[in-house]
Amino acid sequence: MASTLITVAPTGAETAKADYPALPTTLDELVETAKRCEAAGAAMIHIHIRDGEHKPTLDLGRLTDTVAAVRENTALIVQLSTGGAVTDPYEDRLRVLDAVPDSCSLTMGTVNFGDDVFMNPWPFVTQLFQLTQEREVVPEFELFDLGHVAALHRLLDKYGLPYGGRVHCDLVMGVPGGMPGTADALVAAVNALPDAVTSWSATGIGRTSLTVALAALSKGGNLRVGMEDTLTLAKGHPVTHNAELVERAAALATLAQRPPMSPDEARDLLNVKR
């Protein structure tokens, strides 16, 4: 039976802990979240970290400790964000790979991100991609609009396949400034993907989360959920733990007769180093 890769993105860099106390920002909270989300059906975790004041950071020591702690307590594929916060310098974002994750995010271009600009110029994209090849880290290509899909064609044509030989991407939909979180936009993006793509997920931001999840499952894709992207289960019902979002995604995948895959199955799908 076909199955579904569920990735949980529990924290992100945009939401303040003071506004949402349930957001996991300490190492202990992240580990507890990882364990519960694995039990609920997640196979991969997409990690942003915070400092002692709960502010976004790319501190290498904290990143390394986080990777080690999640590996020690779960079987999840550990994926680190190389996006960080929109203000993080490029050299800090490249240094994320020094924490030796299984996977990392790799955004395929610059995008307006609400009132901010998430900068990913072509030289940075290519430098990061070649570094993932050298370090044997599996990238997840983050695509916020159709221009990013076109850039993925360009990258693969010029620099070849990523480490492991599989091409996995994530459609990030519903960001103000990116592609809308609609079924039509998802179908257009999927139909434009390079032939080399072997698997893809979709993320719906905020109120687009259910629309995107249902469209992705209908189109044969996988799911990314979590408090980085969604803070309410429904109007007036805030998320109290990331596991709630994973449980809902797992229920939808099971209803679609594509139940959640295990971390081992996900490692086979992405050809992540064991």
Side-chain angles (χ1 to χ4, degrees), residues 2 6 32 38 67 90 117 147 167 177 187 196 211 235 238:
I6 298 177
E32 187 273 343
E38 180 182 21
V67 170
Y90 300 131
V117 180
V167 181
V187 170
T211 297
K235 187 175 182 180

Side-chain angles (χ1 to χ4, degrees), residues 8-17 23-25 30 46-51 54-57 81 83-86 113 224-231 242:
V8 61
T11 307
E14 309 303 321
T15 302
K17 176 80 164 181
L23 195 76
T25 55
L30 268 175
H46 170 82
I47 295 176
H48 290 253
I49 62 168
R50 303 293 180 97
D51 64 16
H54 308 290
K55 295 179 180 178
T57 180
S81 170
V86 294
F113 204 99
R224 188 184 101 171
V225 298
M227 292 183 72
E228 173 173 348
D229 308 309
T230 305
L231 294 166
N242 279 278

Side-chain angles (χ1 to χ4, degrees), residues 51-74:
D51 64 16
E53 297 180 348
H54 308 290
K55 295 179 180 178
T57 180
L58 290 178
D59 177 80
L60 183 57
R62 287 178 180 269
L63 284 168
T64 302
D65 289 346
T66 301
V67 170
V70 174
R71 282 193 178 135
E72 183 178 346
N73 287 278
T74 76

Side-chain angles (χ1 to χ4, degrees), residues 56-137:
T57 180
L58 290 178
D59 177 80
L60 183 57
R62 287 178 180 269
L63 284 168
T64 302
D65 289 346
T66 301
V67 170
V70 174
R71 282 193 178 135
E72 183 178 346
N73 287 278
T74 76
L76 294 172
I77 296 172
V78 179
Q79 180 186 94
L80 293 181
S81 170
T82 62
V86 294
T87 55
D88 283 320
Y90 300 131
E91 57 268 24
D92 289 354
R93 294 168 61 187
L94 292 171
R95 220 167 13 244
V96 165
L97 296 191
D98 291 347
V100 198
D102 302 308
S103 174
C104 72
S105 60
L106 200 165
T107 301
M108 285 306 304
T110 296
V111 63
N112 287 331
F113 204 99
D115 295 335
D116 298 309
V117 180
F118 181 25
M119 297 293 293
N120 295 281
W122 184 247
F124 172 73
V125 170
T126 58
Q127 184 180 5
L128 177 55
F129 180 57
Q130 291 174 89
L131 194 58
T132 65
Q133 291 172 315
E134 294 169 11
R135 300 288 184 86
E136 300 185 342
V137 174

